[in-house]
Amino acid sequence: MANLLSRRAALAAGGALSVAGLRPARAQAPSIKLGVLSDMSGPYSDNTGQGSVTAARMAIEDFTRTRPGIRVELISADNQNRADVGMSIARSWYDREGVDCILDVPLSALALAMGEVVREKNKVALYTGPAASDLTGRACGPNHIHWTYDTWALAHGTGTALVQEGGDSWFFLTADYAFGHALERDTGGFVTAAGGRVLGQARYPFPGTTDFSSFLLQAQASRAKVLGLANAGSDTINCIKQAAEFGLTRRGMRLAGLLLQIPDVHGVGLQAGQGLVMTDSFYWDLTDGTRAFTERFHPQNRGIRPTQIHAGTYSAVLHYLKAVESLGVAEAKANGAAAVRRMKEMPTDDPLFGRGEVRADGRKIHDMHLFQVKAPEESRGPWDYYKRLRSIPAAQAFRPMADGGCAMVRT
């Protein structure tokens, strides 16, 4: 049933592409082609990577099961956490491989750079992986949607909560690129708005840094009450482990994982991670719907439970395909902006996030949740790591549309 990977596609992605043709070929019927552009082998691979491919495939299977007349193809590639590599793949996919929609893109610099390309080609990008809130602000556009979370939502949930609990002085350890800068900026804004102070920051080169000792010493010397980790993936894991080794938490400093996901907690362990507070849009053990999805997902993903990025990819693919069905495959392929408009017109609804909507600025909104990592004695077993402190309703969880500076929004 699988279509063969073309020689040209293999060259475009350095051999990292895979193709899943999920329906028998029918020459007379055009197919929709999706591409998952992700981190397949780097620091974010457990949070995105092959798990995003699995989630996209599950959404396609669920959608086409009752709609056999719509054919969907799926390919994937490794962006190597380099914007230039990712841009080359994206252009090749749009220009030569017939890709209609690119998904995931867990690199804010790449997602920001892709905005003009996806508009120029009149295709679709569904950003389920990157975090920069600018994607629905100054860099908003008619051909892309920011789906799962963003730096504003993460900062709003975690920054505000910790200041209210007494964590009124912060030091940031920040990955030195677009995502880290945006997360530090947005969180710092909420800290000061809540009456707290930012005492300093240390920015480290990304990628390639594994020893954070000098940066942690700067944080310790600042005497801040909270160390905000404006990073993700294996960088966050290393920071938390090394902070424990340095005894920062024993001396009273709290750690805030500003983009902490379930594989990161698994990698850190509850002994070092207990008490960490984070904001997330998804937890595998949150509802009957999330648990049922996880039971299908994790055996296909090396036993790793799904992250919010995996869940967002499933949700985004499902809604996009509903819009394609409503618009018609030929029109959706010819006019990506029209497909995005239809996605905004239709309410979102899926078992992972419930009902929601896509706003005019391209921000998909749903509830966010403030979680705390359990102590070892509170956990019932592997992957039982979070307790929910509170939920943030969709209308409050994301930046007000009028405040983002999106040119598509009429104020």
Side-chain angles (χ1 to χ4, degrees), residues 217-241:
L217 287 173
Q218 291 179 53
Q220 181 177 306
S222 75
R223 298 186 181 277
K225 295 178 181 178
V226 179
L227 174 59
L229 300 176
N231 53 17
S234 60
D235 286 1
T236 302
I237 293 172
N238 288 333
C239 285
I240 294 171
K241 287 181 175 179

Side-chain angles (χ1 to χ4, degrees), residues 158-171 188 190-199 223-227 252 254:
T158 306
T160 303
L162 287 180
V163 173
Q164 291 173 346
E165 292 177 8
D168 56 4
S169 59
W170 285 60
F171 187 95
F190 282 109
V191 167
T192 56
R197 295 178 298 149
V198 176
L199 302 184
R223 298 186 181 277
K225 295 178 181 178
V226 179
L227 174 59
R254 296 192 69 176

Side-chain angles (χ1 to χ4, degrees), residues 222-289:
S222 75
R223 298 186 181 277
K225 295 178 181 178
V226 179
L227 174 59
L229 300 176
N231 53 17
S234 60
D235 286 1
T236 302
I237 293 172
N238 288 333
C239 285
I240 294 171
K241 287 181 175 179
Q242 291 174 33
E245 292 170 3
F246 273 80
L248 266 64
T249 53
R250 290 197 303 274
R251 296 185 180 94
M253 177 175 274
R254 296 192 69 176
L255 302 185
L258 298 175
L259 180 49
L260 188 70
Q261 301 191 68
I262 195 76
D264 305 329
V265 177
H266 189 72
V268 168
L270 293 184
Q271 190 62 46
Q274 60 184 309
L276 280 164
V277 174
M278 85 291 293
T279 302
D280 207 315
S281 63
F282 174 86
Y283 178 47
W284 72 267
D285 198 19
L286 197 60
T287 67
D288 288 344

Side-chain angles (χ1 to χ4, degrees), residues 316-399:
V317 169
L318 204 60
H319 192 63
Y320 172 69
L321 293 178
K322 291 176 183 177
V324 168
E325 180 185 36
S326 172
L327 195 62
V329 173
E331 177 65 15
K333 289 180 68 67
N335 192 340
V340 169
R341 283 197 301 272
R342 186 57 55 90
M343 294 177 76
K344 293 176 180 178
E345 294 166 358
M346 301 168 60
T348 62
D349 193 6
D350 61 71
L352 306 187
F353 296 96
R355 293 183 62 83
E357 64 174 299
V358 181
R359 301 189 315 199
D361 60 354
R363 176 67 259 169
K364 195 269 187 179
I365 64 168
H366 42 251
D367 292 352
M368 299 289 288
H369 310 281
L370 190 69
F371 294 108
Q372 186 172 45
V373 176
K374 293 180 175 181
E377 61 272 17
E378 296 176 297
S379 174
R380 296 168 297 175
W383 302 99
D384 176 33
Y385 297 154
Y386 291 178
K387 54 185 176 184
R388 180 169 52 173
L389 301 179
R390 61 184 173 90
S391 293
I392 307 168
Q396 302 169 21
F398 293 92
R399 179 180 57 203

Side-chain angles (χ1 to χ4, degrees), residues 62-308:
D62 289 350
F63 180 83
T64 57
R65 185 176 297 116
T66 56
R67 298 156 175 99
I70 297 180
R71 295 191 303 116
V72 185
E73 298 177 75
L74 179 65
I75 64 174
S76 64
D78 188 351
N79 64 35
Q80 300 175 37
N81 285 310
R82 290 177 51 186
D84 58 340
V85 171
M87 285 294 291
S88 177
I89 294 170
R91 286 187 179 277
S92 175
W93 279 1
Y94 286 144
D95 288 342
R96 296 188 290 277
E97 302 306 322
V99 169
D100 302 297
C101 173
I102 293 179
L103 299 145
D104 197 353
V105 196
L107 185 64
S108 290
L110 172 56
L112 291 165
M114 279 178 56
E116 284 303 312
V117 174
V118 69
R119 184 172 185 170
E120 171 195 335
K121 306 298 182 184
N122 199 14
K123 299 290 188 176
V124 176
L126 301 179
Y127 295 131
T128 57
S133 57
D134 289 338
L135 288 165
T136 54
R138 63 172 180 81
C140 71
N143 292 75
H144 71 257
I145 295 173
H146 200 184
W147 201 266
T148 316
Y149 67 103
D150 61 31
T151 53
W152 194 98
L154 299 176
H156 174 244
T158 306
T160 303
L162 287 180
V163 173
Q164 291 173 346
E165 292 177 8
D168 56 4
S169 59
W170 285 60
F171 187 95
F172 287 98
L173 183 48
T174 303
D176 193 9
Y177 73 111
F179 152 68
H181 293 180
L183 193 50
E184 177 192 309
R185 176 200 67 202
D186 288 349
T187 308
F190 282 109
V191 167
T192 56
R197 295 178 298 149
V198 176
L199 302 184
Q201 66 280 319
R203 295 175 175 170
Y204 66 87
F206 174 88
T209 301
T210 56
D211 182 359
F212 296 93
S213 57
S214 63
F215 308 114
L216 292 169
L217 287 173
Q218 291 179 53
Q220 181 177 306
S222 75
R223 298 186 181 277
K225 295 178 181 178
V226 179
L227 174 59
L229 300 176
N231 53 17
S234 60
D235 286 1
T236 302
I237 293 172
N238 288 333
C239 285
I240 294 171
K241 287 181 175 179
Q242 291 174 33
E245 292 170 3
F246 273 80
L248 266 64
T249 53
R250 290 197 303 274
R251 296 185 180 94
M253 177 175 274
R254 296 192 69 176
L255 302 185
L258 298 175
L259 180 49
L260 188 70
Q261 301 191 68
I262 195 76
D264 305 329
V265 177
H266 189 72
V268 168
L270 293 184
Q271 190 62 46
Q274 60 184 309
L276 280 164
V277 174
M278 85 291 293
T279 302
D280 207 315
S281 63
F282 174 86
Y283 178 47
W284 72 267
D285 198 19
L286 197 60
T287 67
D288 288 344
T290 62
R291 286 186 284 272
F293 174 79
T294 299
E295 283 303 304
R296 294 172 55 201
F297 176 91
H298 80 83
Q300 304 177 58
N301 193 48
R302 297 173 291 136
I304 297 173
R305 271 41 173 192
T307 68
Q308 63 178 338

